[in-house]
Amino acid sequence: MNNDVNATWPKLPVALKKIAIDPTSDDYELMCSNYFVTGRPKLILRATTERDVIASIQYVKKIRENVSHSIPFSFRSGGHGISMASVNDGGIILDISQLNSVTVTDAEQGLVQVQAGAVWGDVAEALRPFNLIISSGDFGDTGVGGLATGGGIGLLVRRLGLTIDHIVSARLVTADGEIRVTDHQKYPDLFWGIRGGNSQLGMVTAFTFKASKLVEEKSDISLPFTVQTIESQTSNLTKFIQQWQSWITHASSKMSSNLMLTAENRNTVHINASNFWAGSINSDAKALFKSALSLSEVNKHQLETKSYAELVKAPHIPHSGQQPVFVKNILLDAMNPNIGDIISKILVSPGIIGIEMRAIDGPLNTINADETAWHDRKAKVFLAMWLQKDTAPHAKELFGPLQDLGTGVYSSYSSDLSIEESQRIWPEETGRKLRKLITKYDPQHLFNQGHYW
Ligand SMILES: Cc1cc2nc3c(=O)[nH]c(=O)nc-3n(C[C@H](O)[C@H](O)[C@H](O)COP(=O)(O)OP(=O)(O)OC[C@H]3O[C@@H](n4cnc5c(N)ncnc54)[C@H](O)[C@@H]3O)c2cc1C
């Protein structure tokens, strides 16, 4: 690292020299991207201890105070943030991917301490010998830090609810450089805010989760999942969506269902469905899989059983901004009868990659809206539009008719960093509470990257 690069910034503390990477460092090109974009930060701090996180935050505070409050400051855990805010140009990135240990502290109670830089595939692998599971995202390289502060819609969302609903406590470095252990008793206001409020209150270094024990007596696979994949098509999307929602709503909570919809023309919509049964195949699962095949014109289908850890195995693919996309989403409490027509129209627009839908009804709906900073606790369906990045300027207009139907927005699945989007994510009392907390714990707005109030 060349110490002159940041000549106008306060001198880098000795303690940070060993973890600092700048544009002259060998590792710079490897470290300046996330999954979606490549940034040009002036400085990357690759923390290896919680002490490094504290020292980094103190140093960034000094830079902001002495140089400019507009210098960007990003957190990066897994680098899969759809907000794309974990890298920046001209600022600092605090990367905690080396803080990635997973420790089962009480196997009987299912208590697991996970450092926020771990990725979910590695968490699943570490929990496999204990027959424990934390319902998280469906892709193994997704990071713990971003997902577990945003929400966490996993393959067991209909059985176990959101990932944030399994957090027992969290270690958080706040803007004053203090480490705060938060739970229902200690700093309950911060504990409320980090479950759904993203990174606005500080950087979480570790979570304690209460994992769930799922054991099947007759299976030789630890935590088996039976997965049905269906490639099909429909000429009546509204009817299909209604029937799909009725099918999944009446299905056992052991079943989850994700859809990806695409189209070349307005007459036919292609459906890639993945239906996940938490367990080995049995008569209940067989009946449900059979009825799933009657919802559309099936071209191809397949059933396979895998362990949960295999299903979400982390490929650890290095980041180079390889997915130039833009994503908008809504949460839906009820299904509008026009939704199929609206989606069919969007699907043939330029730049559209597809529309994803997931059933999320169940335990998510049993938590009161004021218990966490995830606002919409009535949501039954999650819907996301994936666009090529170069068409992002049209995203608002394109998504408008769907946006109007939404009752909420999931922060971790939105690339729209406008203030209007933050208002949709954290409306009403949730927003007011978050703003008060920011004023209390981060009055100088150090953590103003990403979705922010
Ligand atoms: C391929 C893919 C599949 C996905 N699948 C799912 C899914 O199934 N379910 C689901 O719910 N989501 C899913 N997501 C969305 C994902 O959960 C979020 O985008 C999440 O923010 C990624 O976390 P990360 O740590 O990898 O991201 P990063 O890019 O490292 O961080 C994203 C943002 O999170 C915040 N953040 C990161 N670390 C911390 C921390 N330690 N403390 C406080 N704030 C922090 C920061 O604001 C940061 O800008 C998926 C994303 C991708 C790209």
Side-chain angles (χ1 to χ4, degrees), residues 34-36 74-87 96 116-120 136-139 141-149 151-155 163 172 198-200 202-205 207 258 356 358 386 410-413 449-451:
N34 62 22
Y35 190 55
F36 301 99
S74 303
F75 295 166
R76 183 171 60 202
S77 288
H80 266 62
I82 289 173
S83 67
M84 302 173 201
S86 57
V87 299
I96 58 159
V119 294
W120 285 107
S136 60
D138 58 8
F139 185 59
D141 274 355
T142 306
V144 170
L147 183 135
T149 49
I153 298 175
L155 299 181
T163 310
L172 175 77
N198 289 141
S199 49
Q200 304 178 80
M203 183 168 223
V204 177
T205 56
F207 298 89
N258 299 352
E356 179 184 350
R358 301 187 189 200
W386 290 76
Y410 174 27
S411 62
S412 298
Y413 231 91
Q449 80 283 18
H451 297 287

Side-chain angles (χ1 to χ4, degrees), residues 23-43:
T24 66
S25 311
D26 291 345
D27 283 356
Y28 181 78
E29 293 303 330
L30 275 177
M31 293 294 297
C32 59
S33 300
N34 62 22
Y35 190 55
F36 301 99
V37 277
T38 295
R40 284 282 149 214
K42 273 197 173 176
L43 179 66

Side-chain angles (χ1 to χ4, degrees), residues 15-26:
L16 292 181
K17 282 202 171 141
K18 64 182 190 315
I19 64 158
I21 295 168
D22 74 11
T24 66
S25 311
D26 291 345

Side-chain angles (χ1 to χ4, degrees), residues 373-411:
W374 169 290
H375 180 79
D376 187 358
R377 286 293 181 172
K378 291 192 182 138
K380 305 274 193 246
V381 171
F382 164 73
L383 182 154
M385 173 182 83
W386 290 76
L387 264 186
Q388 302 286 0
K389 199 174 183 179
D390 53 5
T391 38
H394 307 293
K396 194 175 160 196
E397 189 191 328
L398 204 57
F399 200 61
L402 282 175
Q403 191 87 70
D404 292 344
L405 304 181
T407 43
V409 170
Y410 174 27
S411 62

Side-chain angles (χ1 to χ4, degrees), residues 260-320:
M260 181 54 103
L261 309 174
T262 52
E264 286 110 40
N265 60 60
R266 281 186 71 174
N267 303 325
T268 308
V269 173
H270 300 284
I271 305 154
N272 276 295
S274 303
N275 301 322
F276 302 93
W277 174 260
S280 304
I281 187 102
N282 63 12
S283 55
D284 290 349
K286 271 186 194 157
L288 281 166
F289 286 139
K290 191 173 168 201
S291 48
L293 292 173
S294 66
L295 303 177
S296 49
E297 284 170 55
V298 175
N299 303 324
K300 227 167 137 182
H301 66 104
Q302 191 183 323
L303 267 189
E304 57 179 337
T305 302
K306 284 183 170 184
S307 73
Y308 179 71
E310 278 171 316
L311 208 54
V312 297
K313 192 174 168 53
H316 293 291
I317 300 167
H319 290 150
S320 55

Side-chain angles (χ1 to χ4, degrees), residues 174-176 180 187 189-190 201 437-443:
T174 41
D176 54 6
R180 290 187 155 88
Y187 301 104
D189 52 356
L190 283 175
L201 300 171
L437 283 181
I438 293 169
T439 309
K440 180 173 169 187
Y441 290 103
D442 184 17

Side-chain angles (χ1 to χ4, degrees), residues 9-137:
W9 289 6
K11 203 166 168 339
L12 191 70
V14 178
L16 292 181
K17 282 202 171 141
K18 64 182 190 315
I19 64 158
I21 295 168
D22 74 11
T24 66
S25 311
D26 291 345
D27 283 356
Y28 181 78
E29 293 303 330
L30 275 177
M31 293 294 297
C32 59
S33 300
N34 62 22
Y35 190 55
F36 301 99
V37 277
T38 295
R40 284 282 149 214
K42 273 197 173 176
L43 179 66
I44 301 165
L45 295 163
R46 183 164 41 180
T48 57
T49 63
E50 204 172 58
R51 233 176 244 255
D52 291 342
V53 175
I54 294 169
S56 300
I57 288 177
Q58 285 168 340
Y59 178 56
V60 174
K61 205 173 158 197
K62 218 168 159 183
I63 297 175
R64 283 270 185 97
E65 282 166 1
N66 294 347
V67 186
S68 164
H69 282 284
S70 64
I71 292 174
F73 173 39
S74 303
F75 295 166
R76 183 171 60 202
S77 288
H80 266 62
I82 289 173
S83 67
M84 302 173 201
S86 57
V87 299
N88 63 57
D89 294 325
I92 306 123
I93 299 174
L94 174 53
D95 178 289
I96 58 159
S97 55
Q98 311 279 305
L99 293 178
N100 57 16
S101 69
V102 183
T103 314
V104 176
T105 53
D106 184 336
E108 206 44 51
Q109 295 293 318
L111 296 178
V112 186
Q113 194 183 66
V114 183
Q115 286 189 304
V119 294
W120 285 107
D122 292 347
V123 176
E125 188 56 44
L127 299 190
R128 186 211 288 244
F130 301 91
N131 281 324
L132 291 172
I133 190 167
I134 302 170
S135 180
S136 60

